[in-house]
Amino acid sequence: MISIPNILAAQKEYFASQKTKEVRFRIDLLKALKAEIQRNEEAIYDALKKDFKKSEFETFLSEFGLVVSELNLAIKNLKKWSKPQRVKSSILTFPSSDYIYKEPYGNVLIIAPWNYPFLLALSPLIMAIAAGNTVVLKPSELTQNTSKLLTKIISTVFPKEIAISIEGDTETATQLLAQKWDYIFFTGSVSVGKIVAKAAVKHLTPVTLELGGKSPCIIDGSVDLKLTARRLAWGKFLNGGQTCIAPDYVIVHSKIKSDFIEVLKAEIIKMYGSKPKTSPDFPRIINHKNFKRLTELLKNESVIFGGETDEKTLCISPTIVDNPSLESHIMNEEIFGPILPVLSYHSESDIEEVILNQPKPLAFYIFSKHNSFVEKTLHTYSFGGGVVNDTLVHFGNQNLPFGGVGNSGMGQYHGKFGFDTFSHQKSVIKRGTWFDPSLRYPPYKNKLNLVKKLFKLFG
Ligand code: NAD
């Protein structure tokens, strides 16, 4: 039985030894992690298949490949990232050289969700370790096979005083949150995010909250129907629709709505066949609770495509719902499943009415050939991150920060943004000693005018 306070005490002691501050040591840990992940490649595919019938292709594309890329980036750049960064000095502190030191926070807690159980556990862990922290990871209890494998991989690579995976449910998470951490990184739902924030505030612990929400997809009348339908269907139904940045619903221009829906149906059939339940590429709903929640959302809605549900296999086929009311459940909670409501608009104020009534979303998608419409829309709405003329792909660029705003979260990561998230930026001025004018020292008599002049010139 793992004692959480004992583990944290051991990690605190190890961090205090200064060992994790050695960049070479961190690079070696990351290299060892990469090798262990590569050794377990087949086991990772198997675990995700067992957990929710995720295909090997999707596991490679959306989990394994991204984790290895993040490791490669960190291994390659860590020396550069961790060097104190020289910044321009102020003439007012002349003579000096000024720096930002990247300092690890210390002991980090990472709580991960189930929907990309490998990626969303390891991606923050990699950057927390890269930045020189120790880590306790709590993977999701809903993906038992992947979580067990994560525990195995992490325990093979890391001594437990550097990193450990502690499996468990809400009770374990609650015990973890009762401890005093130096940083908490949480990915999950808005409601649990609030619990995490409340626990963090007790110790004034900084947090990153990677949450969810209803991410809209606007399609204007100018688009190539087939390309748009294909890119939308891919982003919506990947991972069985259980993606935090999946387009939650579509608002399509009324003049192309019916044509668009026909093309969309054809594209979905091309991807998953006419019996998606038998497709090897279509994942399952994670559990009965979510299956029930999703089938409830379909009640009293106009299902115009799909809608086949099978509780035994936890399969809900890709489904299109026509024009739900803005007051409906389906338009007031994150769907997080393979159900796509399609609304239509005549004027831009119709779009506003839908989007401005929702909390700020994590993602935002616009399909249009009209640059002025695209720019206006990008400037009008607040969202975590978005894509023009495609879906999801912003997640894959390590040069873009990933995170939410408002209800969809706070903080950001991916690539160097992740390293920075897990580093305190410590400002340091190193002053020269060969020059020390008496201007700033009391007595101040007759000095104010000169100081004012200097501020005017250099301030
Ligand atoms: P969840 O909030 O139910 O669970 C996430 C984690 O929190 C799990 O490890 C769980 O054990 C733990 N947890 C549950 N109850 C807790 C409590 N009371 N106190 C402390 N910890 C608790 O989320 P989920 O169902 O695993 O994931 C789905 C949600 O996550 C969706 O809302 C989705 O949009 C969001 N999500 C966001 C991102 C992102 O990057 N922004 C990525 C994936 C998922």
Side-chain angles (χ1 to χ4, degrees), residues 112 114-115 120 138 141 170 173 187-189 210-212 244 334 402:
W114 62 265
N115 64 326
L120 298 176
K138 197 207 79 63
E141 67 277 26
T170 306
T187 308
S189 58
E210 296 283 344
L211 310 177
C244 55
E334 181 184 3
F402 181 82

Side-chain angles (χ1 to χ4, degrees), residues 286-434:
I286 188 65
N287 60 10
H288 287 275
K289 189 174 157 208
N290 269 311
F291 179 90
K292 285 219 166 69
R293 181 184 63 77
L294 288 163
T295 48
E296 281 296 312
L297 289 183
L298 288 177
K299 279 196 181 138
N300 305 320
E301 296 299 346
S302 159
V303 172
I304 54 169
F305 181 78
E308 294 96 21
T309 61
D310 178 19
E311 186 159 9
K312 224 169 99 196
T313 57
L314 293 177
C315 184
I316 297 178
S317 66
T319 297
I320 303 176
V321 167
D322 187 30
N323 203 24
S325 112
L326 294 186
E327 283 72 47
S328 61
H329 284 305
I330 205 166
M331 284 308 295
N332 285 282
E333 66 174 80
E334 181 184 3
I335 296 171
F336 217 57
I339 302 172
L340 181 68
V342 179
L343 309 168
S344 62
Y345 76 94
H346 293 278
S347 66
E348 287 172 28
S349 63
D350 298 337
I351 300 176
E352 246 178 64
E353 194 191 331
V354 182
I355 295 176
L356 292 182
N357 275 322
Q358 311 267 5
K360 294 177 180 181
L362 181 60
F364 197 95
Y365 304 108
I366 315 164
F367 286 85
S368 171
K369 286 183 180 156
H370 294 136
N371 200 34
S372 57
F373 174 66
V374 167
E375 285 306 320
K376 186 173 171 207
T377 309
L378 292 177
H379 282 96
T380 302
Y381 301 106
S382 179
F383 51 88
V387 186
V388 178
N389 292 326
D390 206 340
T391 56
L392 310 192
V393 293
H394 61 306
F395 192 93
N397 183 351
Q398 294 167 317
N399 299 315
L400 289 171
F402 181 82
V405 56
N407 252 46
S408 54
M410 57 176 88
Q412 55 199 21
Y413 72 134
H414 284 194
K416 174 145 188 312
F417 299 101
F419 175 85
D420 287 342
T421 281
F422 289 109
S423 306
H424 164 59
Q425 313 227 357
K426 197 156 75 175
S427 299
V428 175
I429 289 187
K430 294 182 181 168
R431 292 227 51 205
T433 52
W434 55 270

Side-chain angles (χ1 to χ4, degrees), residues 260-277:
F260 179 70
I261 286 175
E262 289 316 306
V263 179
L264 181 61
K265 289 177 184 172
E267 288 302 320
I268 296 172
I269 293 170
K270 244 191 233 167
M271 290 180 191
Y272 301 108
S274 50
K275 285 196 188 117
K277 201 174 122 176

Side-chain angles (χ1 to χ4, degrees), residues 154-170:
I154 290 168
S155 66
T156 307
V157 175
F158 299 98
K160 62 181 182 318
E161 54 274 21
I162 300 179
I164 187 171
S165 158
I166 300 182
E167 291 169 64
D169 55 14
T170 306

